[in-house]
């Protein structure tokens, strides 16, 4: 399976455990293709949610519909929900987020896991 950072994929979590998503849902690939061999069985993802109540503004990127991302409605990329999933759960799509959105999403993932300090007020 060949996927790239910024690509939107569908993840099948229909056999999830309690408190995990229990449906197919979109997610954004955030891993760098050069980090792992193609044979590595998992992908690092950030799930997309259409419920703004799940989005923490400092840790999510709003994805507005564009021809490139193929979204029919606005989504929120939830950096604080970064996860890995088996490639067997993944269905690639031709859709992708903008490079600037991917950069911001990766920055927010780093912030969520304590790798990066928040930007000073007014520097966004």
């Amino acid at each position: 399976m060949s996927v790239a950072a910024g690509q939107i994929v569908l993840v099948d979590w229909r056999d999830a455990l309690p408190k995990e998503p229990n449906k197919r849902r979109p997610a954004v690939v955030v891993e760098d293709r050069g980090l792992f061999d193609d044979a590595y069985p998992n992908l690092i993802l950030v799930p997309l949610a259409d419920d703004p109540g799940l989005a923490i503004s400092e840790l999510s990127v709003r994805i507005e519909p564009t021809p490139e991302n193929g979204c029919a409605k606005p989504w929120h990329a939830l950096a604080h929900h970064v996860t890995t999933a088996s490639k067997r759960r993944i269905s690639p799509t031709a859709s992708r987020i903008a490079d600037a959105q991917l950069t911001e999403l990766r920055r927010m993932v780093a912030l969520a896991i304590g790798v990066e300090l928040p930007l000073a007020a007014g520097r966004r």
Side-chain angles (χ1 to χ4, degrees), residues 89-113:
R89 292 184 181 272
I90 307 293
S91 298
T93 73
S95 302
R96 62 174 291 108
I97 62 173
D99 289 343
Q101 290 172 316
L102 176 60
T103 298
E104 182 66 1
L105 188 53
R106 285 174 165 170
R107 187 192 69 76
M108 289 178 176
V109 167
L111 177 63
I113 64 173

Side-chain angles (χ1 to χ4, degrees), residues 10 24 36 79 82 91 100 119:
L10 295 176
R24 275 175 54 108
F36 303 100
V82 65
S91 298
L119 289 177

Side-chain angles (χ1 to χ4, degrees), residues 53-78:
L54 296 175
I56 298 172
S57 62
E58 295 82 13
L59 297 173
S60 63
V61 175
R62 185 169 167 92
I63 310 294
E64 295 291 342
T66 67
E68 293 77 28
N69 67 32
C71 296
K73 59 185 175 182
W75 290 90
H76 302 274
L78 307 175

